[in-house]
Amino acid sequence: MPFGNTHNNFKLNFKVEEEYPDLTKHNNHMAKVLTKDMYAKLRDKQTPSGFTLDDVIQTGVDNPGHPFIMTVGCVAGDEESYEIFKDLLDPIISDRHSGYKPTDKHKTDLNFENLKGGDDLDPNYVLSSRVRTGRSIKGYTLPPHNSRGERRAVEKLSVEALNTLDGEFKGKYYPLNKMTDAEQEQLIADHFLFDKPVSPLLLGAGMARDWPDARGIWHNDAKSFLVWVNEEDHLRVISMEKGGNMKEVFRRFCVGLKRIEETFKKHNHGFMWNEHLGYVLTCPSNLGTGLRGGVHVKLPKLSTHPKFEEILTRLRLQKRGVDTASVGGVFDISNADRLGSSEVAQVQMVVDGVKLMVEMEKKLEKGEAIDGMIPAQK
Amino acid sequence: MPFGNTHNALKMKYASSEEYPDLSQHNNHMAKILTPAIYERLRSKQTPSGFTLDDVIQTGIDNPGHPFIMTVGCVAGDEETYEVFKELLDPIIEDRHGGYKPTDKHKTDLNPNNLKGGDDLDPNYVLSSRVRTGRSIRGFCLPPHCSRGERRGVEKMSVEALDSLSGDLKGKYYALKNMTDAEQQQLIDDHFLFDKPVSPLLLASGMARDWPDGRGIWHNDTKTFLVWVNEEDHLRVISMQKGGNMKEVFNRFCTGLTKIETLFKDKGTSFMWNEHLGYVLTCPSNLGTGLRAGVHVKIPNMSKHAKFEEVLKRLRLQKRGTGGVDTAAVGGTFDISNADRLGFSEVELVQMVVDGVKLLVDMEKKLEKGQSIDNIMPAQK
């Protein structure tokens, strides 16, 4: 919950020991990094909009751990959070993003022509392909912290920008609070709509306040390019389609994203970006590209192979279930990295890695070994 | 204040109409009262500890309505909330508490000898009896707003006070974070422990932050007197036992509560109380006595009767499921308790429960025999 700094000042009446959270049962990035000394050092600080240390860490305090993934356990409330609380966030970023240093520079590459291949993933195995990223609009605070006025302004600006898109991107905005239950169910079933907020990770950070006010989904007529407004980030931009033509998905992603960015710049509200952290988003795990490029792929044999996890690690990929836990050997496979490599590089890893895994699956179907195909660590 | 409330000040850059919540789908007390004009007048204010209007109303925005009960839709973050935001809270209090006016005075009566009867509710129908109230410790912010330091301060002080109780009240404190899962489940099954916070009503107001830090349950050796620490209020004090002897339950309740209050006074603190609102608690619905006295009672026939709701209303009682405020009744067994909190004394409210439940059981027995209950319908209390 957003606290004003009057409240933060009030807390300073209590000693550090009294305010420092009990993290003994916790296993998330924040809990690993936040020592009592660090808490003491940062607790009287606030960003210009009034976001405080307790605001940053509340979700990690309230959610000790997650069964499937190592959660970050903290969020940004605005662009300045990453600066004011860098003592906490830099080590978390380093831990989460494979040793990324405070002095490192991040490379952005949204030139889809730099992707090699990706148009021939076997659709008998690769059921669908999807690329998503997030964008934050400069000058507004982020979803854990923003007021209704700010959120509505983000929505208004986003809808104006999106309504100028044309051609293959021509589409329409559907605000959540005017959608019928039937429309909403259909969009969820099509994997188009974001979940109603039930995840305690999101709830604990305050992102679900005032739901569904100023939230909505915009999509093009072909439903292959979607934008979520005011979910975990100001904008989530998604390109997707059935089958394995990741090349086409990525082309549409890059072209659409660039068009959107142009329109926002014309309105004098660029995206939050800097040369160290790349695109600035609510969750530190999404810094850099904010990109998750993935497929739903049938790997019933490979997924039960003892080397499955090892292969994923070496390919720099991660698995998720379809709708949270995997069903029938179908997995969501995507890039594990966000920061320190470009968009093209990350999608390349997905394309190459999934191609290899499908070949492995085919071998295993024939009862053949895959030992000779185990990849080196990327 | 040495510093202004930065986040609230940032919101002031937006016009009031841009910040005013969309309450068009809402049905709670806050949504009925909060006009754009009131929002405009109150949005720049804060209590000394920094609680703002948006903090007061967030839970009511995030929870448009409840299937079983008309929710309040707002909370207090500290004692001063009821003063700084009185323009919003006075009408809500009036609407919720039977027309209680800003100038009314509330009467406190914790003398159990003033209760008539109550020792003979039929245990074949009345499965258990329970009286609870809440208390807030002056000088600390309330659960929606308190920091970890404050919450732990409340816990420490409460445990010191409770550990000095003796006789049939002698007991022990179980901090939630040191309890085993098995102990915890047992206490939940015995109806002794408060729910893990899943109710969106509580979650949205921020009461569950840092769970289970600073939370715990104290109970006496016979498990008939319990104190919850840092759930929805600083303290919830509960007296309960199987069967229908509400008199005994209320005796123990009053004795225990008075002893605890004395212990806190000895420590130089007191409970939040004033002559207008009585005991000050987190939820405006619990002002006054903060008292909910109730029974779990088997009334399968009565509960299906066309006049059930009307009877409850006239008796000034309310029904809940046996799992508490957010649950549904199971197998014709209901939780029946007083509907009022403010404007009546503790003795008066328990008297209503005792008399009302006695009548409901009589009605149930009649319906079992196929008899009509029309001639024993009560007048409006």
Side-chain angles (χ1 to χ4, degrees):
Chain A
M1 292 335 115
F3 301 116
N5 68 332
T6 300
H7 187 233
N8 201 48
N9 217 54
F10 191 77
K11 292 184 223 175
L12 296 178
N13 291 329
F14 288 81
K15 297 202 279 283
V16 173
E17 293 72 42
E18 292 168 319
E19 289 292 348
Y20 179 68
D22 178 353
L23 301 172
T24 48
K25 305 234 170 37
H26 289 59
N27 181 35
N28 56 50
H29 284 290
M30 180 277 292
K32 284 173 71 178
V33 171
L34 183 68
T35 60
K36 203 194 295 184
D37 285 345
M38 192 183 284
Y39 187 83
K41 193 169 169 208
L42 295 177
R43 72 179 189 127
D44 62 348
K45 302 203 183 314
Q46 56 164 335
T47 66
S49 74
F51 207 62
T52 64
L53 178 64
D54 279 345
D55 293 329
V56 172
I57 66 173
Q58 192 65 56
T59 182
V61 174
D62 290 344
N63 295 286
H66 191 280
F68 304 141
I69 53 179
M70 174 72 158
T71 49
V72 175
C74 59
V75 290
D78 49 28
E79 194 165 8
E80 295 83 353
S81 295
Y82 288 101
E83 192 53 45
I84 301 283
F85 299 107
K86 62 195 290 72
D87 281 357
L88 170 67
L89 295 174
D90 277 351
I92 289 175
I93 288 167
S94 187
D95 201 15
R96 176 61 173 215
H97 295 284
S98 310
Y100 194 78
K101 295 190 293 296
T103 47
D104 284 339
K105 303 266 181 275
H106 171 81
K107 181 180 167 199
T108 294
D109 181 0
L110 283 159
N111 189 342
F112 65 90
E113 280 160 359
N114 291 341
L115 182 72
K116 300 188 193 58
D119 52 354
D120 61 349
L121 298 172
D122 187 341
N124 292 312
Y125 293 82
V126 180
L127 307 178
S128 59
S129 307
R130 178 183 186 269
V131 179
R132 67 85 159 152
T133 190
R135 292 291 186 264
S136 306
I137 303 173
K138 228 172 153 59
Y140 296 99
T141 62
L142 298 173
H145 193 44
N146 57 13
S147 69
R148 284 178 296 277
E150 284 191 289
R151 202 184 297 111
R152 290 164 179 171
V154 164
E155 182 191 37
K156 186 162 184 283
L157 195 61
S158 302
V159 174
E160 277 177 33
L162 292 166
N163 279 338
T164 62
L165 292 176
D166 61 3
E168 60 175 322
F169 297 105
K170 185 174 178 315
K172 192 181 160 188
Y173 182 68
Y174 300 88
L176 238 58
N177 61 4
K178 298 207 173 53
M179 223 183 266
T180 64
D181 285 346
E183 282 173 328
Q184 194 163 346
E185 282 306 314
Q186 184 62 46
L187 288 167
I188 289 172
D190 288 342
H191 301 283
F192 291 161
L193 190 61
F194 39 100
D195 289 339
K196 295 175 198 182
V198 295
S199 165
L201 301 176
L202 300 189
L203 294 177
M207 290 178 214
R209 289 169 299 120
D210 313 312
W211 201 277
D213 195 308
R215 275 81 168 193
I217 169 175
W218 179 97
H219 66 74
N220 65 351
D221 297 338
K223 283 190 183 176
S224 57
F225 191 78
L226 297 83
V227 178
W228 294 351
V229 178
N230 284 320
E231 191 234 15
E232 184 183 332
D233 286 294
H234 288 162
L235 299 175
R236 283 289 177 95
V237 178
I238 302 150
S239 170
M240 61 198 287
E241 64 188 52
K242 298 272 184 217
N245 193 348
M246 183 59 94
K247 194 177 186 60
E248 168 63 11
V249 170
F250 188 55
R251 181 205 64 81
R252 189 168 50 245
F253 175 81
C254 293
V255 172
L257 206 46
K258 287 219 173 102
R259 297 247 179 105
I260 293 170
E261 185 152 20
E262 278 156 23
T263 326
F264 271 98
K265 279 182 179 162
K266 279 198 207 131
H267 284 74
N268 290 320
H269 276 280
F271 294 144
M272 291 183 197
W273 181 94
N274 64 62
E275 59 173 8
H276 167 52
L277 295 178
Y279 289 103
V280 173
L281 294 177
T282 302
C283 182
S285 70
N286 283 322
L287 292 166
T289 61
L291 186 142
R292 196 170 88 83
V295 298
H296 286 179
V297 56
K298 283 198 282 202
L299 304 169
K301 295 207 160 355
L302 183 59
S303 60
T304 50
H305 192 285
K307 293 221 164 89
F308 183 46
E309 298 288 343
E310 175 66 22
I311 290 165
L312 287 173
T313 302
R314 291 189 185 198
L315 292 175
R316 308 192 74 85
L317 300 177
Q318 69 175 199
K319 73 179 194 299
R320 298 184 185 188
V322 173
D323 297 327
T324 74
S326 87
V327 173
V330 179
F331 284 82
D332 179 312
I333 303 290
S334 62
N335 55 296
D337 302 310
R338 302 276 184 273
L339 178 63
S341 49
S342 74
E343 289 81 354
V344 166
Q346 288 168 8
V347 177
Q348 192 70 63
M349 280 188 242
V350 175
V351 158
D352 297 345
V354 169
K355 195 166 182 146
L356 178 64
M357 287 196 293
V358 169
E359 283 168 22
M360 287 175 161
E361 181 71 20
K362 287 173 173 172
K363 281 222 167 211
L364 291 171
E365 277 173 18
K366 292 189 217 134
E368 293 168 16
I370 58 167
D371 297 335
M373 298 166 73
I374 305 283
Q377 176 66 55
K378 283 191 168 299
Chain B
M1 252 59 59
F3 297 99
N5 191 325
T6 306
H7 186 235
N8 205 45
L10 183 90
K11 293 185 220 173
M12 297 302 295
K13 292 188 190 149
Y14 289 81
S16 187
S17 55
E18 291 172 318
E19 290 290 347
Y20 180 71
D22 177 357
L23 300 171
S24 51
Q25 310 293 322
H26 289 60
N27 181 36
N28 56 51
H29 284 289
M30 181 278 291
K32 283 174 72 181
I33 300 289
L34 183 67
T35 60
I38 293 178
Y39 187 82
E40 178 146 26
R41 279 195 291 276
L42 294 179
R43 72 183 190 120
S44 61
K45 301 195 186 316
Q46 56 168 331
T47 66
S49 74
F51 207 63
T52 64
L53 177 64
D54 280 344
D55 294 327
V56 174
I57 66 176
Q58 191 67 54
T59 183
I61 298 170
D62 290 345
N63 296 286
H66 191 280
F68 305 140
I69 52 179
M70 173 73 158
T71 50
V72 175
C74 59
V75 291
D78 50 27
E79 193 165 9
E80 295 83 353
T81 301
Y82 288 102
E83 192 53 43
V84 174
F85 299 105
K86 63 196 286 72
E87 194 183 343
L88 169 67
L89 295 174
D90 278 351
I92 289 176
I93 288 167
E94 185 160 352
D95 201 17
R96 175 62 173 214
H97 294 283
Y100 194 79
K101 295 190 294 297
T103 47
D104 284 339
K105 302 267 180 277
H106 171 80
K107 179 183 167 198
T108 295
D109 180 1
L110 282 159
N111 185 345
N113 297 322
N114 292 339
L115 182 71
K116 301 186 195 56
D119 51 357
D120 61 349
L121 298 172
D122 187 339
N124 292 313
Y125 294 82
V126 180
L127 307 178
S128 59
S129 307
R130 180 181 184 270
V131 180
R132 67 86 161 151
T133 189
R135 292 290 185 263
S136 306
I137 303 174
R138 195 156 262 167
F140 293 94
C141 293
L142 298 173
H145 193 46
C146 63
S147 70
R148 283 179 295 275
E150 286 191 286
R151 200 183 298 112
R152 290 164 179 171
V154 165
E155 183 189 36
K156 187 165 182 283
M157 193 175 287
S158 302
V159 173
E160 278 175 29
L162 293 166
D163 277 348
S164 58
L165 288 175
S166 61
D168 66 332
L169 295 176
K170 184 176 180 311
K172 191 181 160 190
Y173 181 68
Y174 301 87
L176 235 60
K177 64 180 184 181
N178 294 336
M179 224 184 267
T180 66
D181 285 345
E183 282 174 328
Q184 194 166 345
Q185 195 55 53
Q186 183 62 46
L187 288 167
I188 289 172
D189 292 341
D190 287 341
H191 301 280
F192 290 162
L193 189 62
F194 39 100
D195 289 341
K196 296 173 197 183
V198 295
S199 166
L201 301 175
L202 300 189
L203 294 177
S205 68
M207 289 180 216
R209 289 169 300 123
D210 314 310
W211 201 274
D213 195 309
R215 276 84 169 189
I217 170 174
W218 180 98
H219 66 75
N220 65 351
D221 297 337
T222 46
K223 286 190 181 174
T224 55
F225 192 77
L226 298 81
V227 179
W228 296 351
V229 178
N230 283 320
E231 191 236 13
E232 184 183 330
D233 287 292
H234 287 163
L235 300 175
R236 284 286 178 97
V237 178
I238 301 148
S239 170
M240 61 198 288
Q241 65 193 56
K242 298 273 182 213
N245 193 344
M246 182 60 93
K247 191 171 190 56
E248 183 168 84
V249 169
F250 189 56
N251 274 1
R252 190 185 311 115
F253 176 81
C254 294
T255 308
L257 205 47
T258 309
K259 287 214 174 118
I260 292 170
E261 186 149 21
T262 309
L263 291 167
F264 272 98
K265 285 188 175 153
D266 290 344
K267 296 175 109 20
T269 34
S270 58
F271 295 143
M272 292 183 197
W273 182 94
N274 63 63
E275 59 174 7
H276 166 52
L277 295 178
Y279 289 103
V280 172
L281 295 177
T282 302
C283 183
S285 70
N286 282 321
L287 292 165
T289 60
L291 186 142
R292 193 171 90 84
V295 298
H296 285 182
V297 58
K298 281 199 283 201
I299 41 173
N301 292 296
M302 187 59 209
S303 59
K304 294 200 206 83
H305 193 283
K307 293 223 164 86
F308 183 44
E309 299 289 340
E310 177 65 23
V311 169
L312 287 177
K313 194 155 171 293
R314 291 188 186 193
L315 294 174
R316 306 192 76 88
L317 300 177
Q318 69 174 202
K319 72 181 196 296
R320 297 181 184 190
T322 52
V325 66
D326 277 352
T327 64
V330 174
T333 301
F334 283 80
D335 178 316
I336 302 290
S337 62
N338 53 295
D340 301 300
R341 303 275 184 274
L342 176 65
F344 298 89
S345 74
E346 287 82 355
V347 166
E348 284 168 343
L349 294 177
V350 179
Q351 193 70 64
M352 281 188 238
V353 174
V354 158
D355 298 346
V357 168
K358 198 164 179 141
L359 179 64
L360 285 169
V361 170
D362 287 344
M363 286 174 160
E364 179 70 17
K365 288 173 176 174
K366 280 203 170 233
L367 291 172
E368 277 173 16
K369 293 189 218 136
Q371 293 169 6
S372 158
I373 56 165
D374 293 338
N375 61 343
I376 54 172
M377 286 290 290
Q380 176 67 53
K381 283 192 168 296

Short mmCIF file of all heavy atoms in Angstrom, two decimals, chain B residues 79 102 109 115 139 219 224 241 246 314 325 376:
data_model
loop_
_atom_site.label_atom_id
_atom_site.label_comp_id
_atom_site.label_asym_id
_atom_site.label_seq_id
_atom_site.Cartn_x
_atom_site.Cartn_y
_atom_site.Cartn_z
N GLU B 79 -6.44 6.45 15.80
CA GLU B 79 -7.56 7.02 16.54
C GLU B 79 -8.06 8.30 15.88
O GLU B 79 -9.27 8.57 15.84
CB GLU B 79 -7.11 7.30 17.99
CG GLU B 79 -8.25 7.59 18.93
CD GLU B 79 -7.85 7.49 20.39
OE1 GLU B 79 -6.65 7.37 20.70
OE2 GLU B 79 -8.77 7.53 21.24
N PRO B 102 -23.92 12.31 15.37
CA PRO B 102 -22.62 12.83 15.81
C PRO B 102 -22.63 13.38 17.22
O PRO B 102 -21.58 13.50 17.86
CB PRO B 102 -22.31 13.94 14.79
CG PRO B 102 -23.07 13.54 13.57
CD PRO B 102 -24.32 12.89 14.07
N ASP B 109 -21.33 -0.83 29.68
CA ASP B 109 -21.75 -1.58 30.86
C ASP B 109 -21.19 -2.99 30.78
O ASP B 109 -21.68 -3.83 30.03
CB ASP B 109 -23.28 -1.63 30.95
CG ASP B 109 -23.79 -2.40 32.18
OD1 ASP B 109 -22.94 -2.88 32.98
OD2 ASP B 109 -25.01 -2.53 32.34
N LEU B 115 -27.08 -8.99 33.55
CA LEU B 115 -27.69 -9.85 32.53
C LEU B 115 -28.72 -10.77 33.19
O LEU B 115 -28.44 -11.42 34.20
CB LEU B 115 -26.61 -10.70 31.85
CG LEU B 115 -27.10 -11.62 30.71
CD1 LEU B 115 -27.50 -10.81 29.49
CD2 LEU B 115 -26.04 -12.66 30.37
N GLY B 139 -1.98 5.17 21.32
CA GLY B 139 -0.59 5.52 21.03
C GLY B 139 0.00 4.73 19.88
O GLY B 139 1.09 5.02 19.40
N HIS B 219 -4.26 -17.99 25.08
CA HIS B 219 -5.48 -18.56 25.67
C HIS B 219 -5.19 -19.16 27.03
O HIS B 219 -4.05 -19.54 27.34
CB HIS B 219 -6.13 -19.57 24.74
CG HIS B 219 -5.35 -20.82 24.48
ND1 HIS B 219 -5.22 -21.85 25.39
CD2 HIS B 219 -4.69 -21.22 23.37
CE1 HIS B 219 -4.49 -22.82 24.85
NE2 HIS B 219 -4.15 -22.46 23.63
N THR B 224 -11.07 -21.41 27.28
CA THR B 224 -12.38 -20.75 27.31
C THR B 224 -12.24 -19.24 27.23
O THR B 224 -13.24 -18.52 27.16
CB THR B 224 -13.13 -21.10 28.62
OG1 THR B 224 -12.28 -20.76 29.72
CG2 THR B 224 -13.48 -22.57 28.66
N GLN B 241 -17.47 -21.32 24.91
CA GLN B 241 -17.55 -22.69 25.40
C GLN B 241 -18.66 -23.40 24.66
O GLN B 241 -19.53 -22.76 24.06
CB GLN B 241 -17.80 -22.74 26.91
CG GLN B 241 -19.13 -22.18 27.34
CD GLN B 241 -19.21 -21.96 28.84
OE1 GLN B 241 -18.39 -21.27 29.44
NE2 GLN B 241 -20.23 -22.55 29.47
N MET B 246 -24.73 -18.94 28.05
CA MET B 246 -24.21 -17.63 27.67
C MET B 246 -23.90 -16.79 28.90
O MET B 246 -23.00 -15.95 28.87
CB MET B 246 -25.22 -16.92 26.76
CG MET B 246 -24.78 -15.56 26.26
SD MET B 246 -23.27 -15.60 25.26
CE MET B 246 -23.95 -15.74 23.62
N ARG B 314 -36.21 -8.12 13.50
CA ARG B 314 -36.96 -7.58 14.64
C ARG B 314 -36.23 -7.82 15.96
O ARG B 314 -36.33 -7.04 16.90
CB ARG B 314 -38.34 -8.22 14.70
CG ARG B 314 -39.24 -7.80 13.55
CD ARG B 314 -40.63 -8.30 13.76
NE ARG B 314 -41.50 -8.04 12.63
CZ ARG B 314 -42.82 -8.15 12.68
NH1 ARG B 314 -43.41 -8.53 13.81
NH2 ARG B 314 -43.55 -7.92 11.61
N VAL B 325 -17.29 -14.36 9.19
CA VAL B 325 -18.00 -13.30 8.47
C VAL B 325 -18.15 -13.58 6.97
O VAL B 325 -19.13 -13.20 6.36
CB VAL B 325 -17.30 -11.94 8.70
CG1 VAL B 325 -15.90 -11.91 8.11
CG2 VAL B 325 -18.13 -10.81 8.15
N ILE B 376 -46.10 -16.19 17.81
CA ILE B 376 -44.97 -15.80 18.68
C ILE B 376 -43.98 -14.91 17.95
O ILE B 376 -42.85 -14.72 18.39
CB ILE B 376 -44.25 -17.02 19.30
CG1 ILE B 376 -43.81 -18.02 18.21
CG2 ILE B 376 -45.12 -17.70 20.33
CD1 ILE B 376 -42.92 -19.13 18.79
#
